[in-house]
Amino acid sequence: MPNPAHLRDSTQIILHRESLCGIRSELEGKFTLTIVPLDDERYRLIGSPVEIKNASQFLGRHGVSLP
């Protein structure tokens, strides 16, 4: 049985809103993700494990540090 925390971590990224300034449209154009507000300061990016992995690499190349 898969670990629920591992599955959740492999299908979502939580970022501060300012992390996506200037790159959100490119991110949405390159990857199949759902981006939803988590609260006033953060977004939740949701996608398949493959999309999340690739989006994480993209974010890293653009200087966004992931928790």
Side-chain angles (χ1 to χ4, degrees):
M1 181 83 138
N3 179 340
H6 176 70
L7 290 175
R8 183 178 53 249
D9 291 344
S10 68
T11 60
Q12 74 175 3
I13 301 170
I14 296 177
L15 295 173
H16 288 283
R17 286 181 181 252
E18 64 268 4
S19 298
L20 294 182
C21 288
I23 61 170
R24 181 176 175 165
S25 61
E26 187 177 358
L27 181 70
E28 290 177 309
K30 288 182 178 262
F31 306 103
T32 305
L33 299 170
T34 301
I35 301 175
V36 295
L38 187 60
D39 55 33
D40 289 340
E41 297 178 10
R42 300 178 296 165
Y43 282 124
R44 178 177 296 180
L45 286 62
I46 303 166
S48 72
V50 171
E51 290 294 290
I52 291 296
K53 179 181 177 186
N54 293 334
S56 295
Q57 292 171 349
F58 170 87
L59 291 166
R61 287 191 303 272
H62 287 82
V64 176
S65 62
L66 302 175

